[in-house]
Amino acid sequence: MSSPAHPIPARMRGLNRAEICDQNFVEFLAAFEPAPRQQAPDADAPVLPGSALTARGFLELFESQLISRHLDLRARVLRVQNKVFYTIGSSGHEGNAMIARLARHTDPAFLHYRSGGFMAERFRKLPGMDPVMDSALSFAASQDDPASGGRHKVWGSKPLWVLPQTSTIASHLPKALGTAVAIEQARRLRHPSPIPEDSIAICSFGDASSNHATAQTAFNAAQWIAYQKLPAPVLFVCEDNGIGISVKTPPGWIGERYRACRDLDYYYADGLDLARGYGQVAAAVEHCRHTRRPTFLHLQTTRIMGHAGTDFEIEWRSIEELVAVERTDPLLRSAAIALESGLFTPDSLRAHYEAIRTRCFAAADAADRRPKITTLAEVMRPLAPYTPDAIAAEAGRADYGDRRMAAFGGEDRLPERQPPRHLAIQINQALHDAMAKYPQALVFGEDVAQKGGVYTVTKGLHKAFGNRRVFNTLLDETLILGLAQGYANLGLLPIPEIQYLAYFHNACDQLRGEAASLQFFSNDQFRNPMVVRIAGLGYQRGFGGHFHNDNSFAALRDIPGLVLGCPSRGDDAAMMLRTLTALAVVDGRVSVFLEPIALYMAKDLHAPGDGGWLFPYPPPDQALVLGEPRIYEPDATDLLIVSYGNGVPMALRAAKQLADGQGARVRVLDLRWLLPLNASAIAEHARACDRVLIVDEGRRSASVGEGVMTALVEAGLGGKPVARVVGADTYTPLAGAAFLVLPSDGEVLAAATALLRA
Ligand SMILES: Cc1ncc(C[n+]2csc(CCOP(=O)(O)OP(=O)(O)O)c2C)c(N)n1
Ligand SMILES: [Mg+2]
């Protein structure tokens, strides 16, 4: 706080704090009174006596800080001219450049949005890269932006192993931990890793963000792993500027909260002073790399120039407080080091400062002239790559006979030689096949290992493929999906299980905001392919209540780029899993396989004991085309029933009764793929039939039936008699009452009968 003895000069009371911080630097140089000058240190000597930082190191770090600062200042100026589209800056956080310097460019980094200093410094690690121009292209949303192709202002670089992050604070911590775990897993599996085996994962975030549940998930899981003496080489970097937008972090909170955490090793570093902080950061990085333990680096920073360009702090904070914060500007401290050490004079430093400003503005002007994204096709190009021929070839590739034989225990035990089986068994067999086919595939989740899952769907996998490839996780869905992203980042093929659909929802952002968006925001440079198995939907007789019978998957249906499959029978499930793993391996896609629990054990279709829902296991060279529905009675034209999951056997039962009772001929279309929805197949079959009934066990609002209805109307088929039997907009109650809220055989038959009379 300013005391009356230090009145705040008029020029420091202005609205434009960026201009004031800029001027502060210049005035600081002008006012600097040098001590009697010693000789500037040699390049390899400490920049100041006692510092772990050499003069050469300081000069480069300081330049990285200045580049970052001028990128911020330039963004503020050019935003108003519509030449730059992002003003969340790094000012006050430029000390994070030390972490980049002390780590390697092959240490995967998941960065806080205030990472301008880090990036400028990391760019030095590879020859021929230009932090100023690359950042300028990103700020300008140019199609030539090497990070995202103009889709988002993100810190990202493929060659520098900086995976672009979304704006959702803390959402990157679980995948950073996952990547750290994957580094170790790849080594144990002898999987050819794209990075050295002693790499660490770096993950930075703000002080306010550290409180988020998603951050706590990652800290807790890292501790859970280290507690068992297992490696988790992740460096969590908390950049503590004491505030989150306008909410202050209680003074001392970060230190007190994390200093004495079991199995999360705390280090403090002064991020405002390169000479002092460098050795402190070095200690944390080295500790993490050598002990392979989760490490929490508390990096002191400050926030200069507000949260973003739109944040006029002066409107909600006292001028005294603002000025006091601005006095902690780390660039003033770096300038002092530069002058005190004799590496610069005020004049030479001023010239250096201005030269970097000129360079940043020139880059911004050049970036402004580069092309922007101008078509929707270009916006969407990296969202959902799909190469059907390559997928078909990969899905049907069956050249892993020896490994298959070992997995199933010999020729006679191959699943296609067994009698027809039900869904749970066939998924289990298909998972054995996937694990045999892809040595990089991993199955993990709650209870999936020795127990084989709540419904025994993963039974035997642990025995067949061992601990390293089939394992239980801790009970945290956010973490399970974070791990999946981490494994995928290192080229493994994660097949995580979410135990129940209801429990996916608490972790939804890990798919919606993170996994499914990576290809989009990185312009398809990074991919995190995975096949997420989720057991769900209603009609269970053994285990009642909403949470084991959740029938709402609307949260998955609109995730851009996601593939959502839902089998109703075992042979389809096996073939769909082949297609999904091929989509992951070839096109890097993220998919969800929604398994209807109530059909896991279903064996009969029309009458008890008829075995009508048992099917032979398809040989390993058979797969499905993405989007292709299964059609029953393809020549029938009286009525089309469109359904999926539990609705399919219901529809088939109704079809038989209608055929037996009134001679009506009913075609049944099992969608199998709920996203993307195959609107043209729906239209084609609807056009061929006189009437359409949609049987949708999801909720009336926002379930896939709405999509089917839209497909019909948009195909000009809205004039046909169409009806929908659909779940009610309610949670599912316990016991028999559950069946009141879901479509029933009786309702399907009644609706079909009514349509046939229409
Ligand atoms: C999950 C989520 N909630 C809210 C926001 C909006 N938001 C963006 S930054 C921010 C404050 C973050 O503060 P801190 O973590 O201390 O980082 P700082 O900006 O201070 O560096 C908030 C609330 C967000 N991006 N993500
Ligand atoms: Mg903060």
Side-chain angles (χ1 to χ4, degrees), residues 249-440:
T249 291
W253 168 246
I254 298 295
E256 291 302 320
R257 167 73 178 79
Y258 295 99
R259 193 172 292 122
C261 276
R262 169 141 195 185
D263 293 312
L264 184 57
D265 301 340
Y266 175 90
Y267 283 75
Y268 172 84
D270 187 345
L272 301 174
D273 184 327
L274 298 180
R276 187 170 15 200
Y278 195 73
Q280 298 167 323
V281 172
V285 173
E286 289 314 300
H287 174 80
C288 185
R289 191 175 312 282
H290 293 124
T291 65
R292 321 300 289 158
R293 281 174 59 78
T295 305
F296 188 100
L297 173 58
H298 179 189
L299 186 72
Q300 186 63 53
T301 60
T302 190
R303 192 183 75 188
I304 307 290
M305 294 156 48
H307 177 71
T310 45
D311 178 19
F312 292 108
E313 282 182 291
I314 201 159
E315 291 178 350
W316 55 270
R317 254 176 132 171
S318 78
I319 184 71
E320 288 78 13
E321 196 182 328
L322 258 185
V323 168
V325 169
E326 287 160 2
R327 287 203 177 110
T328 63
D329 184 345
L331 263 61
L332 301 181
R333 177 62 196 137
S334 290
I337 296 169
L339 299 173
E340 281 165 21
S341 62
L343 288 166
F344 281 96
T345 64
D347 286 347
S348 68
L349 184 47
R350 176 76 200 264
H352 188 50
Y353 187 71
E354 293 306 331
I356 293 175
R357 185 201 305 277
T358 306
R359 191 176 153 202
C360 288
F361 271 86
D365 268 341
D368 184 47
R369 291 191 294 272
R370 300 278 275 274
K372 302 264 192 299
I373 298 180
T374 52
T375 64
L376 178 60
E378 179 52 20
V379 169
M380 294 180 68
R381 186 184 44 73
L383 181 63
Y386 182 43
T387 49
D389 293 346
I391 298 297
E394 177 60 24
R397 183 172 64 76
D399 59 356
Y400 57 104
D402 292 353
R403 294 201 301 271
R404 250 198 123 213
M405 218 62 86
F408 288 109
E411 184 97 32
D412 293 347
R413 302 173 86 161
L414 290 177
E416 60 271 28
R417 303 220 169 166
Q418 310 308 313
R421 302 306 295 268
H422 50 276
L423 178 68
I425 294 276
Q426 293 215 36
I427 295 176
N428 178 271
Q429 291 166 334
L431 288 171
H432 277 82
D433 250 327
M435 293 289 280
K437 182 170 178 176
Y438 298 109
Q440 75 272 33

Side-chain angles (χ1 to χ4, degrees), residues 599-646:
L599 294 178
Y600 271 155
M601 308 305 282
K603 299 180 180 69
D604 304 326
L605 179 58
H606 298 294
D610 71 3
W613 213 235
L614 300 173
F615 299 94
Y617 186 80
D621 60 352
Q622 292 185 19
L624 292 187
V625 175
L626 175 62
E628 184 189 352
R630 178 180 284 280
I631 309 296
Y632 298 83
E633 292 286 336
D635 299 327
T637 57
D638 293 336
L639 172 68
L640 173 72
I641 304 183
V642 179
S643 194
Y644 63 93
N646 290 286

Side-chain angles (χ1 to χ4, degrees), residues 93 112-114 167-169 206-209 212 241 243-245 307:
H93 288 242
H112 190 39
Y113 43 77
R114 304 202 190 281
S167 289
T168 312
I169 56 92
D207 47 303
S209 304
H212 200 279
N241 60 17
I243 198 165
I245 303 188
H307 177 71

Side-chain angles (χ1 to χ4, degrees), residues 86 96 118 148 211 252 426 431 443 491 505 584 587 620-621 632 679 704 734:
Y86 191 87
N96 55 30
F118 182 105
S148 79
N211 300 301
Q426 293 215 36
L431 288 171
V443 166
H505 291 101
D587 286 333
D621 60 352
Y632 298 83
V704 72
L734 198 58

